[in-house]
Amino acid sequence: DLALLAPHTRRIRTYSASDQSTLPALAQEAGLELMLGAFLDQQLDRNQRELAAAIELARSHANIKRLIVGNETQLTAKLPPNRLIGYLEQVRSALQSSQVLVSTAEPWHVWMAQPQMAQHVDFIALHVLPYWEGEYIETAVQTSLAQIRKVQARFPDKPVLVAEIGWPSNGQPVGKARATPANQARFIRGFLQEAKAHDIDYFVIEAFDQPWK
């Protein structure tokens, strides 16, 4: 998988740490930077194992430049805000002597609704997923850009990373959104052109199809 990705991108994102301990080294061999994720949920013991694994991997692999502590835990109400903030500060404190930047990933509207989280991250990692918001393909790119700009304007002192953006090639309709290969190509090509023009930092979701979705 990494060999397939290497000609097309300089970096990848993952969503868990403790079950992929060999991945950072393999990615480094493939010349890929890794934005490592630590998976968090209601199981507090497992959360600490994840955080410990993520901290250790970030300390020992130079290709890990950024670390995402929790993925959509606020959107799904898996963690109360104060607990997530505690985890963020735990990781930032452990990595303060390194150059690894720390954040958590949430949809754009969650960052707007919970701006206090920005005080506990090094950058804003937002998800922009117009298909799941039921957007017309004709307006999806411009809607996405408007959402990104809202977050940038709300947090002018923090770098903004679009940690997920994309469009599925198959699946059920969501509102006005239709998942087809043609719509996927239209959205991705349109967004990449705008991202280059406006210097937007982003990760496309996703490199490989996940049939369970």
Side-chain angles (χ1 to χ4, degrees), residues 84-119:
L84 174 61
I85 287 171
Y87 287 148
L88 286 166
E89 291 302 330
Q90 176 184 341
V91 174
R92 294 178 80 196
S93 176
L95 296 176
Q96 62 182 346
S97 61
S98 72
Q99 296 184 354
V100 178
L101 303 179
V102 177
S103 188
T104 190
E106 295 287 346
W108 71 277
H109 57 85
V110 174
W111 284 103
M112 297 296 287
Q114 296 181 221
Q116 72 277 9
M117 290 197 305
Q119 302 172 27

Side-chain angles (χ1 to χ4, degrees), residues 139-157:
T139 56
V141 171
Q142 291 306 313
T143 296
S144 299
L145 293 174
Q147 293 169 352
I148 295 167
R149 291 186 186 115
K150 285 180 181 178
V151 176
Q152 289 173 328
R154 182 64 182 83
F155 306 105
D157 298 326

